[in-house]
Amino acid sequence: MERRDFLRSSALGAATVAASRLARGKDGVATPEAPSDGLTWDKAPCRFCGTGCHVRVGVEKGKVVAIAGDQLADVNKGLLCMKGYHVGLALYGEDRLTRPLLRKNGKLEPIGWDEAVEIIAKRVMANPKGFAVYGSGQWTIPEGYAANKLIKAGIGNNQIDPNARLCMASAVTGFLSTYGVDEPAGCYDDLDAAQVIVLWGNNPAEMHPVLFSRILDRRARGDEITIIDINTRRTRSSAFAQHVLTFKPQTDLAIALGIMNVLVQKGTWDKDFVAKYCNFRKRTDPPTLDGQAMTFEEWQKAIAEYTPEKVEQISGVPADKIRLLGELFGRRDLRITSLWCMGMNQHTRGTAINDLVHGVHLLSGHFGKPGDAPTSLTGQPSACGTVREVGTLAHGLPGGLVVANPAHRKEAEEVWNLPPGRINEKPGLHTVAMWRSFCTPKEKGGEIDTLWVQVTNPGQSLPNTNEIFYPSRKIPGKFLIVSDVYPTETVRHADLVLPSAMWVEKNGMFGNSERRTQQWFKMVDPPGEARDDCWQLIAVAHKLLELGHPGMKDNDGHFLFETKDAQGKEVPIWEWKHYYDVNVDQRLFDEYRKFSRFKHKDLAPYAEYVKARGLRWPVVQQKDGSWRETRFRFAKFDDPYATKADIQFYHSVTKDDRALVWFHPYDPPPESPDGEYPFWLCTGRVIEHWHTGSMTMRVPQLRNSMPQAYVELNREDAKQLGIADGETVIVESRRGSVELPCWIDGRGKPPRGLVFVPFFDESILINKVTLDAHDPLSKQPDYKKCAVRLRRKVG
């Protein structure tokens, strides 16, 4: 299938037509120059996934009326997916939240902003230890920075964690345990050079279609590219792969070990690369990111049992396919890029499988050259920029620092001008633990009594919601605050609702999957009384200052978020009417930028991002005063910090500039099908919708393309159960059940014994069914496998 067919099958072409004027200028051509159509055009990154496509936004009479792909953007080169072409419509759902709402006598009633801000501040003052913020990889960088500073420099309890804990935490721990520092070394340019693409449990044809089309475009031009799809069900990506390897859930660990076994047995591992740049490691009990040193001989002995035949027994993947992978990685004449996303991350052994895939690349030497890279992709627009870089995790500080490290706390206290000892050394609660605490009465240890949610929808996206979301709504004294743009499942259960500005209704910055920091300006006003999330945080901080909270002042007695204009006069940015008197984003970014040099994640001045379609860090100033981005980290030919050797892992765990090749044994999953619950359940996304659908389900073209969720069922399983295509099926686990229509031989084809359900549909809450078992290091839950049973609904 060629690229044109791919675009058609993915409905991208249909999306362009459906978007009509919203997608293009009046001449139907998306050009980087502002067309002469009377519209005001400006740049912005797309609001949806972590690819970071740039769009041109056309505004007329205070409303976004046109969207075009940005041809000046390296990420997408003018192309958008169907969601991207419709991103402007996401602002204009009929049920936008426009006023603060407080629950009174069981009903949400309108109140004013002053009252809303005071309610939050008084909840903090009443019990600072019990206040928590649950944020998002959809926060802008300044929003996340403000939230992190409020909690860690101000309130001082470290109780902040993001929804990105649910999607990319295992990628973080994998990078940290392998290289000593987070985020991919390669970039999207690898897709233009790789001759082999290995998909590790992800489906980029639907989840990252613009990146996938980049690969198919090369094929259409005559490049020979081998795609290997390692999956638990056939997807649209499988249709483009020469090799489709369907494995039993959890057994991807065995596959990676089998590849390394083949490399060693055939002697095709890159001995020179390993001798110069690698050490070997094994896990400890309990596991840590540092692990325990082992020799190559000990490591070789450990992987010896994972022969292709043994891996076939464990995984179901034929031994000759394991040999094929090993033989490809053993070739020096090829460039190989591995891509992964939720399949490897949402995994009770997520850190381990991330480590092992990095290890395959290191052992084989497929690292540090264009096209040779192990690359994780993210699902949210700023999971990297706002979560991983700003450090909005319970244990994190900006710039890759952590609260448990005394030297890191000292650095942060100096940047923030805080008294020594202000930052708490104890990490806060990770996402699952935070929500369990909120769902537990105080007398039984539930310390969190007030939880402020911004830019996410945990009532739909948390796992096992019957245990870690809904119980809190019945416990006296538990208070849920939600800042959002639409009445989501979370909003419907909130005690206080704050209407938020969205995307180009405010200034913003994102950081995408390839270390690219992106900037945009406010273009239209938010509806009604909706206000920026960043302003909401700063307004609460100032109210706390007024109420006498000691943490809201720095060493000099100034407000933590003190902001001055060009004349040096303080601007009361906590007052909404003055918030845009200055560029608060720039003020916060300039301060945050000081953190970026600690781990060589250098950021350029704010003005450089205004001029660019994003810059990939580290961004280093040249002798002529210009700023240069870095495409390939740790590689001397491109990374200014790699100065000692061709490859230098300058933040290595072992402090010797070497990366770690890990051994992790295969372990079975915490829950497997049995006689009572005989099917695997896998959850995920579809191309039409993004995450919980709170935005995309309000875009008519996207909603009409995929109006509701479904359960994918193997035809033979359906026949055995007496279920016909389109019939209503009950999917039930030990935790809960849902009812939804069955789809047989749809776009995805699960093997026998496995079913798939997307989670975008708020009327079918599949996360009542999933389990919250999580990786011991990343604390990321496993949404990809739990045991369920199915039956046809009668009557």
Side-chain angles (χ1 to χ4, degrees):
M1 190 180 293
E2 300 298 337
R3 186 171 186 244
R4 181 179 299 175
D5 299 315
F6 166 69
L7 296 179
R8 185 182 298 114
S9 68
S10 299
L12 301 187
T16 309
V17 174
S20 187
R21 189 178 179 218
L22 189 70
R24 301 282 183 169
K26 65 180 181 181
D27 56 359
V29 178
T31 59
E33 299 80 18
S36 56
D37 53 10
L39 307 186
T40 301
W41 291 86
D42 208 343
K43 70 174 176 80
C46 180
R47 175 59 181 79
F48 295 123
C49 81
T51 299
C53 296
H54 271 83
V55 301
R56 301 280 292 171
V57 182
V59 175
E60 181 180 58
K61 297 180 181 179
K63 185 175 181 178
V64 174
V65 296
I67 294 292
D70 192 336
Q71 294 182 355
L72 297 180
D74 288 337
V75 171
N76 55 308
K77 305 179 190 300
L79 178 67
L80 297 172
C81 77
M82 65 190 303
K83 292 184 292 294
Y85 282 122
H86 292 98
V87 64
L89 289 174
L91 297 171
Y92 300 117
E94 295 180 354
D95 54 347
R96 275 292 296 266
L97 297 170
T98 59
R99 298 183 66 183
L101 304 170
L102 178 66
R103 192 170 297 279
K104 300 177 181 179
N105 299 317
K107 185 179 179 181
L108 289 170
E109 301 283 356
I111 61 170
W113 270 108
D114 289 346
E115 183 180 355
V117 168
E118 186 169 13
I119 287 170
I120 299 172
K122 286 184 174 180
R123 295 285 305 187
V124 176
M125 295 297 289
N127 182 19
K129 293 182 179 179
F131 181 81
V133 170
Y134 184 63
S136 171
Q138 300 163 63
W139 262 334
T140 67
I141 289 171
E143 287 167 352
Y145 182 75
N148 214 18
K149 188 175 183 182
L150 171 64
I151 290 293
K152 288 167 182 163
I155 296 172
N157 64 9
N158 294 338
Q159 298 295 8
I160 179 173
D161 214 47
N163 67 353
R165 178 77 70 176
L166 310 177
C167 65
M168 51 91 245
S170 295
V172 173
T173 48
F175 282 110
L176 290 173
S177 55
T178 301
Y179 311 107
V181 67
D182 185 26
E183 296 200 45
C187 61
Y188 297 161
D189 294 30
D190 289 309
L191 302 178
D192 301 329
Q195 292 146 305
V196 178
I197 305 287
V198 184
L199 309 178
W200 289 85
N202 62 324
N203 175 21
E206 291 198 78
M207 304 307 106
H208 298 89
V210 170
L211 294 182
F212 197 63
S213 71
R214 195 160 169 166
I215 300 166
L216 299 187
D217 189 46
R218 289 181 56 206
R219 272 190 179 173
R221 295 197 306 267
D223 289 359
E224 292 187 11
I225 304 171
T226 299
I227 299 176
I228 301 173
D229 181 24
I230 305 174
N231 62 48
T232 58
R233 61 186 260 273
R234 294 184 70 97
T235 67
R236 283 184 166 178
S237 299
S238 309
F240 304 94
Q242 287 93 331
H243 304 279
V244 178
L245 285 57
T246 300
F247 64 93
K248 299 173 186 175
Q250 187 90 356
T251 64
D252 44 1
L253 292 97
I255 294 171
L257 290 165
I259 296 169
M260 292 192 281
N261 178 287
V262 172
L263 288 167
V264 171
Q265 293 303 315
K266 286 183 170 290
T268 54
W269 54 288
D270 193 330
K271 301 172 185 63
D272 183 62
F273 187 96
V274 171
K276 290 179 178 178
Y277 308 126
C278 299
N279 290 319
F280 291 85
R281 220 68 169 176
K282 62 182 177 182
R283 72 181 185 187
T284 56
D285 189 16
T288 67
L289 291 180
D290 292 344
Q292 182 179 337
M294 65 191 310
T295 65
F296 171 76
E297 290 72 24
E298 291 170 330
W299 179 88
Q300 182 180 12
K301 184 178 179 180
I303 67 164
E305 69 173 292
Y306 292 95
T307 64
E309 288 72 23
K310 177 65 175 292
V311 173
E312 179 176 357
Q313 292 174 13
I314 295 171
S315 69
V317 174
D320 64 338
K321 294 296 186 181
I322 304 300
R323 289 192 183 90
L324 168 71
L325 285 164
E327 290 164 2
L328 288 171
F329 273 101
R331 289 175 57 177
R332 300 289 166 269
D333 60 326
L334 295 176
R335 299 290 175 91
I336 303 178
T337 290
S338 288
L339 299 176
W340 67 91
C341 199
M342 297 306 103
M344 275 175 45
N345 295 341
Q346 292 176 338
H347 198 312
T348 53
R349 296 294 311 285
T351 304
I353 184 58
N354 272 264
D355 283 345
L356 292 176
V357 172
H358 288 300
V360 168
H361 277 263
L362 294 168
L363 186 70
S364 64
H366 285 286
F367 187 97
K369 301 178 289 294
D372 270 337
T375 300
S376 70
L377 301 174
T378 50
Q380 297 188 85
S382 201
C384 290
T386 305
V387 175
R388 297 160 80 161
E389 295 157 28
V390 172
T392 55
L393 295 149
H395 64 279
L397 288 165
L401 308 183
V402 294
V403 300
N405 186 315
H408 291 185
R409 294 197 302 275
K410 184 175 183 294
E411 297 279 12
E413 287 166 351
E414 289 178 357
V415 172
W416 283 336
N417 190 25
L418 303 176
R422 168 74 68 82
I423 297 175
N424 192 334
E425 67 180 354
K426 181 182 178 182
L429 299 173
H430 63 84
T431 292
V432 172
M434 176 186 287
W435 284 95
R436 279 200 177 278
S437 177
F438 191 56
C439 287
T440 302
K442 186 174 183 179
E443 61 272 17
K444 294 184 179 180
E447 58 183 305
I448 304 299
D449 62 16
T450 303
L451 215 166
W452 187 359
V453 174
Q454 283 199 327
V455 209
T456 186
N457 183 16
Q460 188 171 340
S461 62
L462 285 172
N464 193 11
T465 51
N466 283 333
E467 281 194 25
I468 65 172
F469 179 76
Y470 294 114
S472 69
R473 306 299 72 221
K474 299 177 182 179
I475 301 174
K478 302 287 184 173
F479 195 82
L480 179 61
I481 307 159
V482 181
S483 299
D484 213 323
V485 297
Y486 288 113
T488 64
E489 178 69 7
T490 313
V491 166
R492 282 189 283 274
H493 293 275
D495 298 293
L496 177 64
V497 177
L498 307 179
S500 292
M502 174 184 167
W503 193 43
V504 296
E505 295 170 349
K506 59 187 178 184
N507 292 338
M509 303 184 79
F510 282 159
N512 81 342
S513 292
E514 61 165 353
R515 297 175 280 107
R516 185 183 294 272
T517 307
Q518 305 159 302
Q519 179 275 345
W520 75 92
F521 287 121
K522 176 181 176 180
M523 303 177 201
V524 297
D525 289 329
E529 298 176 31
R531 298 181 181 180
D532 297 22
D533 294 296
C534 193
W535 174 83
Q536 296 173 29
L537 292 158
I538 292 170
V540 169
H542 197 270
K543 179 57 67 174
L544 287 169
L545 177 71
E546 295 172 9
L547 295 175
H549 193 292
M552 296 303 129
K553 294 182 180 180
D554 65 14
N555 251 335
D556 300 322
H558 299 147
F559 178 41
L560 281 183
F561 297 99
E562 181 185 52
T563 300
K564 295 181 180 180
D565 61 19
Q567 288 71 46
K569 181 180 178 181
E570 183 174 13
V571 178
I573 60 172
W574 57 89
E575 297 178 9
W576 178 244
K577 64 182 178 181
H578 292 296
Y579 184 70
Y580 276 95
D581 288 356
V582 291
N583 188 336
V584 176
D585 268 25
Q586 182 172 0
R587 174 261 185 265
L588 293 173
F589 184 79
D590 287 346
E591 180 179 288
Y592 159 58
R593 195 175 152 244
K594 299 173 185 177
F595 286 95
S596 68
R597 295 188 179 90
F598 293 129
K599 294 285 187 177
H600 299 96
K601 301 181 179 184
D602 306 41
L603 297 169
Y606 182 86
E608 297 300 312
Y609 298 99
V610 173
K611 294 184 290 184
R613 264 57 173 183
L615 295 170
R616 291 168 284 198
W617 57 258
V619 188
V620 178
Q621 192 168 28
Q622 306 299 290
K623 291 181 179 179
D624 64 1
S626 64
W627 293 86
R628 178 186 180 277
E629 67 173 357
T630 301
R631 295 181 302 155
F632 302 100
R633 292 171 81 198
F634 311 131
K636 188 176 182 179
F637 76 88
D638 195 53
D639 187 340
Y641 291 113
T643 59
K644 297 180 181 178
D646 289 341
I647 300 291
Q648 183 185 352
F649 299 108
Y650 41 75
H651 282 293
S652 66
V653 174
T654 44
K655 310 302 181 187
D656 57 0
D657 294 338
R658 291 168 175 263
L660 299 183
V661 178
W662 283 78
F663 170 72
H664 293 283
Y666 164 72
D667 288 328
E671 181 176 274
S672 296
D674 55 25
E676 189 176 3
Y677 296 91
F679 287 88
W680 289 107
L681 168 67
C682 176
T683 66
R685 293 200 285 122
V686 294
I687 189 171
E688 295 86 356
H689 292 295
W690 193 72
H691 284 207
T692 63
S694 58
M695 293 179 286
T696 53
M697 283 290 275
R698 287 169 171 83
V699 175
Q701 294 87 344
L702 299 177
R703 185 180 63 248
N704 293 339
S705 294
M706 181 58 68
Q708 71 174 95
Y710 53 87
V711 56
E712 271 179 10
L713 186 59
N714 178 278
R715 178 168 291 279
E716 293 302 313
D717 286 333
K719 182 178 180 181
Q720 184 174 332
L721 293 169
I723 296 171
D725 190 40
E727 288 191 316
T728 300
V729 174
I730 299 171
V731 178
E732 182 179 16
S733 72
R734 292 175 173 86
R735 293 156 295 278
S737 65
V738 295
E739 299 179 3
L740 68 175
C742 174
W743 195 3
I744 301 170
D745 291 337
R747 61 177 57 164
K749 291 180 173 59
R752 294 209 65 175
L754 185 142
V755 298
F756 170 82
V757 177
F759 71 98
F760 69 86
D761 190 343
E762 66 181 359
S763 68
I764 301 172
L765 298 172
I766 190 59
N767 282 321
K768 291 181 178 181
V769 178
T770 53
L771 80 169
D772 59 301
H774 51 270
D775 179 273
L777 289 170
S778 69
K779 313 301 182 186
Q780 181 166 352
D782 193 331
Y783 290 86
K784 299 302 181 184
K785 46 190 157 322
C786 70
V788 297
R789 59 190 176 199
L790 279 68
R791 66 181 187 274
R792 182 168 60 89
K793 183 180 180 182
V794 179

